[in-house]
Amino acid sequence: MDPAALREKLFSQLKGLGIETETIEHAEAPTVEEHTKQVGDTKGGQAKNLCFKDKKGNLYLMSTMKDTTVDLKKISARLGVPASAPVRMATPEKMFEALQVTPGSVTPFALLSESSAKVRLLLDAKFLEHEKLMFHPFMNTATTLIKRADLDKVL
């Protein structure tokens, strides 16, 4: 399914759950830095989303606040992954296969896809500090704001 169709399916699913969102259209923003230039972070907590895999092929989607430092060795240790083979970034092909997203468009909304059933979500505790959070809706030319409590209902 193409990103625009996935986006419309997402919005339909959210509406079906009674979840209100706000979506901001903008120029392509594949990095946190570019997203900050396009949207800023005054409307909600700006997320950084990364997809990792371990040596066994397990996939992890990590959603953190934009300023959270991501240390792969520490993440590996917390997941019980041996230091000799720490988690590493998933290939674009693996990401697309499991989450139906490409680099620069990674989003926890992708966990609504059937193909994501085996992906483990890791959420930053700093999300609790924000009433609203910002994520791409399957494409990095838009940002969707969702209440933190509503994100809990979705995931």
Side-chain angles (χ1 to χ4, degrees):
M1 200 179 285
D2 73 279
L6 288 168
R7 173 185 156 149
E8 291 312 309
K9 182 178 177 182
L10 166 68
F11 292 156
S12 177
Q13 288 173 308
L14 294 173
K15 186 176 180 181
L17 293 169
I19 295 173
E20 293 182 23
T21 61
E22 174 189 352
T23 298
I24 303 164
E25 305 294 334
H26 52 75
E28 186 176 17
T31 64
V32 170
E33 294 77 20
E34 189 59 37
H35 186 265
T36 300
K37 288 179 196 173
Q38 296 289 336
V39 180
D41 58 5
T42 58
K43 290 188 167 228
Q46 187 179 0
K48 169 172 56 179
N49 299 288
L50 305 165
C51 187
F52 303 115
K53 68 175 238 144
D54 63 20
K55 191 172 182 176
K56 294 179 182 177
N58 297 311
L59 289 176
Y60 306 91
L61 172 59
M62 177 176 240
S63 291
T64 70
M65 295 309 302
K66 73 173 186 171
D67 58 350
T68 297
T69 301
V70 177
D71 182 326
L72 295 182
K73 288 181 182 178
K74 287 182 181 178
I75 293 167
S76 296
R78 292 196 69 185
L79 293 171
V81 174
S84 60
V87 295
R88 61 181 189 270
M89 298 301 292
T91 64
E93 296 79 18
K94 281 284 185 196
M95 257 194 295
F96 190 80
E97 180 184 314
L99 299 170
Q100 300 180 16
V101 294
T102 57
S105 298
V106 179
T107 176
F109 293 138
L111 295 174
L112 293 171
S113 302
E114 291 176 22
S115 59
S116 71
K118 293 185 179 180
V119 178
R120 186 170 168 197
L121 177 63
L122 309 172
L123 288 176
D124 190 342
K126 291 181 184 177
F127 280 166
L128 298 173
E129 299 169 8
H130 300 274
E131 182 182 336
K132 291 186 178 180
L133 301 167
M134 299 189 291
F135 302 105
H136 289 310
F138 287 95
M139 43 200 337
N140 62 20
T141 55
T143 298
T144 297
L145 284 91
I146 186 170
K147 291 180 183 174
R148 184 189 71 244
D150 287 339
L151 183 67
D152 291 342
K153 293 176 194 174
V154 173
L155 303 176

